[in-house]
Amino acid sequence: MRFALGAAVLALFLAVSGCQADEPDPVAAQDEVVTDYLAALGSGEVERVRALAVRGSDDPTEAQRRVEAFGGPVSDVRITWRRGEFPDVAVATITATRAGQPVTDRITVSRDGDRWGIVLGAANPVKPPANTGTPPR
């Protein structure tokens, strides 16, 4: 009986550990999305920016606007994060120098199912609380 109970506990531990090991590190995933976003801006690829967007926010006009406003070669890139308020949302503020001028971009990174993406345009990655119908502050 003890052996069966011990085996069951071990099996449960391994199953839970295995599930957690498959889950990507959210911070690393968010960093990767912003790195990909910066690469797309740098190369002027509007469609690549759109491909990084979460469902419902792949607005081509907004992607084009961001490429025009923040795209091209940059230097002195710094990224500061606001994380932790909501587990599936983070905000990156990107500062850099382009053509000798400072540029700043703020991008919301959100979990979209099993992947992380950026929010372009209309999508709101923060769902309102069920009891009030208003977004959290």
Side-chain angles (χ1 to χ4, degrees), residues 17-32:
S17 297
C19 290
Q20 291 174 346
D22 293 339
E23 185 71 22
D25 174 31
V27 170
Q30 294 163 1
D31 287 342
E32 183 177 340

Side-chain angles (χ1 to χ4, degrees), residues 2-134:
R2 274 192 209 173
F3 177 74
L5 180 58
V9 169
L10 180 60
L12 178 61
F13 174 76
L14 291 174
V16 170
S17 297
C19 290
Q20 291 174 346
D22 293 339
E23 185 71 22
D25 174 31
V27 170
Q30 294 163 1
D31 287 342
E32 183 177 340
V33 168
V34 170
T35 298
D36 292 347
Y37 172 70
L38 287 170
L41 289 179
S43 60
E45 297 177 67
V46 174
E47 287 306 311
R48 189 169 163 200
V49 170
R50 288 185 66 204
L52 291 168
V54 295
R55 283 175 287 186
S57 78
D58 63 342
D59 180 358
T61 304
E62 179 62 11
Q64 181 68 43
R65 184 193 73 74
R66 286 182 182 261
V67 166
E68 289 171 3
F70 307 106
V74 294
S75 61
D76 303 321
V77 176
R78 287 189 323 246
I79 302 168
T80 55
W81 286 95
R82 196 175 87 219
R83 294 180 168 124
E85 193 171 342
F86 301 101
D88 291 341
V89 179
V91 177
T93 302
I94 304 161
T95 57
T97 302
R98 186 183 74 200
Q101 298 296 314
V103 291
T104 301
D105 189 10
R106 178 173 290 154
I107 191 78
T108 300
V109 180
S110 178
R111 185 184 300 266
D112 184 16
D114 62 348
R115 73 180 269 272
W116 287 86
I118 61 173
V119 178
L120 291 175
N124 182 0
V126 180
K127 294 183 172 92
N131 60 350
T132 65
T134 58

